[in-house]
Amino acid sequence: MSPQTKTVKDYIRTIADFPHEGILFRDVTTLFADPRGFRMAIDQMLHPWAGQQIDKIVGLEARGFILGGAIAHQLSKGFVPIRKKGKLPGQTISQAYSLEYGEAVMEMHEDAIAPGEKVLIVDDLLATGGTCGAGIKLIERVGGEIVGCSFIVDLPELGGRKLLEDLGMNVHVLCEFEGA
């Protein structure tokens, strides 16, 4: 396939039985490693928000940091990481969310987003929407206004897009894969 006809999805590798048996892992590191594919993904993640005011880019741990940094650079805007509990050094606010088995907690620096700032949330994969949902609550708690959420991959069977749209979010994805 020539580079001109490749889509973002063509750059993503699927690895069977990782991290557990029965899982089809959608590996975006092959997309990140290819300069043409990576640029295509960043450009396409930004396209729906062209002309809108965006003050900060929020990246969700961990691959969202790679995307968020590149997007923030492209727009000359600030980048804010939302991380797993205990990873940020300053004063933080926390938000718990449910996992298949148990609970996880995400954190953000309490002074990372000012009230009224317009925020774009980015990550590589939308599955159940739990991590992004926690991020939305953190941003809204400090008064940030979310313009949208942008992902490379959606796993529609897991219902994350519906969860985020039910929260009033404008969701943009570059491609979908069936199966978990």
Side-chain angles (χ1 to χ4, degrees), residues 61-77:
E61 186 156 335
R63 288 172 295 275
F65 298 168
I66 297 164
L67 297 165
I71 290 170
H73 174 77
Q74 182 87 3
L75 296 177
S76 296
K77 301 297 178 182

Side-chain angles (χ1 to χ4, degrees), residues 135-177:
I136 289 165
K137 290 176 182 165
L138 289 168
I139 294 162
E140 289 178 341
R141 198 177 320 154
V142 297
E145 298 174 18
I146 301 162
V147 299
C149 306
S150 196
F151 302 90
I152 295 174
V153 175
D154 182 20
L155 303 178
E157 293 171 25
L158 299 181
R161 183 178 195 139
K162 180 176 180 351
L163 181 134
L164 299 182
E165 288 173 344
D166 288 350
L167 291 173
M169 294 297 115
N170 186 349
V171 177
H172 174 64
V173 298
L174 304 188
C175 63
E176 295 180 350
F177 284 93

Side-chain angles (χ1 to χ4, degrees), residues 73-174:
H73 174 77
Q74 182 87 3
L75 296 177
S76 296
K77 301 297 178 182
F79 171 75
V80 176
I82 291 186
R83 301 213 58 191
K84 294 175 183 167
K85 185 178 172 99
K87 300 288 187 180
L88 292 170
Q91 290 292 108
T92 60
I93 57 172
S94 301
Q95 180 65 49
Y97 66 101
S98 296
L99 297 170
E100 190 173 348
Y101 300 104
E103 187 175 88
V105 177
M106 300 303 286
E107 292 183 330
M108 179 179 79
H109 281 128
E110 64 184 9
D111 60 355
I113 296 169
E117 282 191 310
K118 309 281 191 238
V119 177
L120 176 64
I121 300 173
V122 300
D123 203 3
D124 67 320
L125 183 86
L126 177 57
T128 65
T131 304
C132 189
I136 289 165
K137 290 176 182 165
L138 289 168
I139 294 162
E140 289 178 341
R141 198 177 320 154
V142 297
E145 298 174 18
I146 301 162
V147 299
C149 306
S150 196
F151 302 90
I152 295 174
V153 175
D154 182 20
L155 303 178
E157 293 171 25
L158 299 181
R161 183 178 195 139
K162 180 176 180 351
L163 181 134
L164 299 182
E165 288 173 344
D166 288 350
L167 291 173
M169 294 297 115
N170 186 349
V171 177
H172 174 64
V173 298
L174 304 188

